[in-house]
Amino acid sequence: MGAWRLPCGWRLLFSMCFIGLLAEVVHGAGADALHPRLFPAEARTLRRIAAKIGVAHWNFSVNPCDSESMKCDCSFYNNTTCHVTGIFLKEMNFTSQLPPDFADLPCLLQLDLSRSLFHGAVPDKWAQMRLQGLSLMGNRLSGTFPMVLTRITTLTNLSIEGNEFHGLIPHEIGHLTQMEKLIISANEFTGPLPAALSLLTNLTDLRISGNNLSGKVRDFLGKLRKLEKLQIEGSLLEGPIPSDFSKLTNLSDLRISDLRGSGSAFPDLSAMQSMKTLVLRNCSISGSIPSYFGDMKNLKHLDLSFNKLTGKIPDSFAKMGSVDYIYLTGNSLTGNIPEWLLRRNNIADISFNNFTMGSSGPTQCLQGGINLVESYSPEMISLNNINPCLKKNFPCAASNGQYRSSLHINCGDKEAIVNGVKYETDTVPKGASVLYVNPGSNWAFSSTGNFMDNNINDDSYIATSTSKLTIPSSQLYARARLSPLSLTYYGLCMHNGSYTVKLHFAEIVFTNDSTYCSLGKRKFNVFIQGKMVLEDFDIEQSAAGSGKPIMKTFTTYVTNHTLEIHFYWAGRGTTGIPYRGFYGPLISAISVVPSMSF
C-alpha cells in the first residue's frame, strides 16, 4: 500500500481532525493518561462499520487501535488521544456493500479491503476522504469505473483489480496526478486507453492487463518516464509496440502480450539496464533478437515466445547464465542450437522453431529444463538419426505400421478405469520447460511457462481439488494438469482419419462457496490440429459452477499420424485470486476415439 505518511504535517487535515471533536475529548489524568483512547466520534464510526460488515475482532472495551488490522496515530493531547490512520481488512470474506462510514474517519490514509466479497458500487461519500492508499482488489464490485475515486486526488496507490467493473476508463482519471501505483487489471473495461493517463507522470506501476480494451497501445504511455512496472497482457489492444517505450528507461518489469492488429519491429530496450522481468509474448514481433539482452545484468525472466522472430539466437545470450527463465518457443529462429544452451542449468524453452542440426546438434530431446520439441526445421524431417520429438509435427517413429485408434489420459492423476475404459497415468510434476513421452510412446505432452509473482521456486503443475467431489467419474476430475502459458498434448502414431475428441474439465481450484476463493476467473484458449476450438474458455462459467464436470466434444482429422491438442493462456482472467500465480489452462482428462471404424 506504499509508505506511511503522518497526517500531522497537513494543516488542513490537522484542522479536520480537531474541529468539531474537541468537545468530545475527555482529558484523563494519572493512569488514564497512560492509555490512549480513540476520539469518541471515531469510535462510534468504527462501531457502525463493524456492525454493517461484520467485524468481530475490534475490541471496543479497550482500544481498537490495538488490533493488527488497524493503525492509529496516538500522539495527540500528550499521547492520550488517537486518530485512525489505517484500516487493513483483507481476506475477510465480508459480503456487504462498502460502508459510506469510512468517510467519517477524517485522518484515514490507508484502506485495504482486498480479497473479500464486497458488492455494489463505491459510495459517493468517499469523495470527501483524503486517502493515500486504497485497495479494493478481488471483490464483486460492479458498475462503470467509480467516478468517486477520481475525486480522491490525494491517492498515490489504487487497486481495483479483479472486480466486475465495465465501460470506459474515464478521462477524469487524469485528476489523480499524485498517483504512483494504479492497478485496474482483470475487469471488463472497454474502449481505448484515455489520453488523460499521460497526466499521471508520477506513476511507477501501471497494470491494465485482462480487460476488453480496443484500439492501439498508445504512444503517450512513453511519457510516463518514472514507470518501473508496466503490464499490458491480454487486454485486446492492437500493436505495434510504440517506439516511445524506449524512453521508459526505469522499467524493471515490462509485460505485453497477445496484441492484435499489425505486427511490431523489435522495440529498442537497450537503455533499460534495470530490467528484471521482460515478457513480449504473442505480439507479432518480427526480425532478429537484439544482442543487448546479454548485457542486461539484472535480467531474470525473458519471454519472447509466439512471435515471428527469425535469425539466430545471439551469441551474447551465452552470458545469460543467471537468467532463470528463457522462453523463445513458437518463433522461426534458425541456425544451430547453441552448445551453451544445451549445458544450461536453468530453464530454457526453444521448442517450435526452425533450427538446423549442424555438425554437433542434439539428436534426442533432453531431460531437465531444456525443451527442444519440434525445434528443428522441416528440412530435418528426413534425417533418420534424429528423434521424432525434435522434428516438425512430431512424426510417428513406428516403422511397422502399428498405429493406434484411441487415446485416453487422466491428466494430472494416476490410472483410472471409467465405464470400462482405462485412462492412462499422467503424474509428471514438472512443467516449466519439459517434454514427457509416456512409456508406451503413444502420447506425450510439452509444457512451457512458470507461474509468475507467487514467490515460489518450485511451481506445482498439478491441481488437487480443494474439496471432495461428489460427481460421476470423479476420479477423472479430482486432479488436473495446469499450465501457466502453453501446454500441448500429442497423440502419437494414430491411424489417419476422423476422430472425436472429448476434453474433460472441472474447476477444482476456485471454490463454490462464500469466500473470496470463489472469485477467480480462469480463461484460456484451446486449439486442435492448429485450429482454435475454444477462446476465452471459462470452465466454471461453462459448467455453471466450480467442482462440476463439463465435457467439450470436437471432431478433427489426423492426416500425418499425429494429433495435437494445444492449451494456451492469452493473459486473460484473474491472476491474483486466491493468491498470485493462480491462472492458466487446466485440463482434467482427454479422450480420443475414432469417428469411424478403421
Side-chain angles (χ1 to χ4, degrees), residues 450-472:
N450 61 291
F451 294 97
M452 301 184 69
D453 304 319
N454 58 3
N455 297 320
I456 296 175
N457 292 327
D458 191 14
D459 286 325
S460 175
Y461 293 82
I462 294 177
T464 301
S465 176
T466 54
S467 60
K468 184 177 180 180
L469 299 179
T470 56
I471 57 178

Side-chain angles (χ1 to χ4, degrees), residues 30-79:
D32 289 341
L34 300 177
H35 301 286
R37 308 288 290 186
L38 270 176
F39 271 97
E42 293 190 28
R44 290 194 296 270
T45 296
L46 291 176
R47 288 180 183 274
R48 292 198 307 271
I49 292 172
K52 287 181 178 181
I53 66 177
V55 180
H57 64 275
W58 286 345
N59 189 348
F60 291 98
S61 65
V62 286
N63 188 351
C65 287
D66 295 335
S67 168
E68 292 183 356
S69 64
M70 192 178 304
K71 185 174 180 65
C72 298
D73 180 356
C74 297
S75 63
F76 300 93
Y77 282 96
N78 294 322
N79 302 319

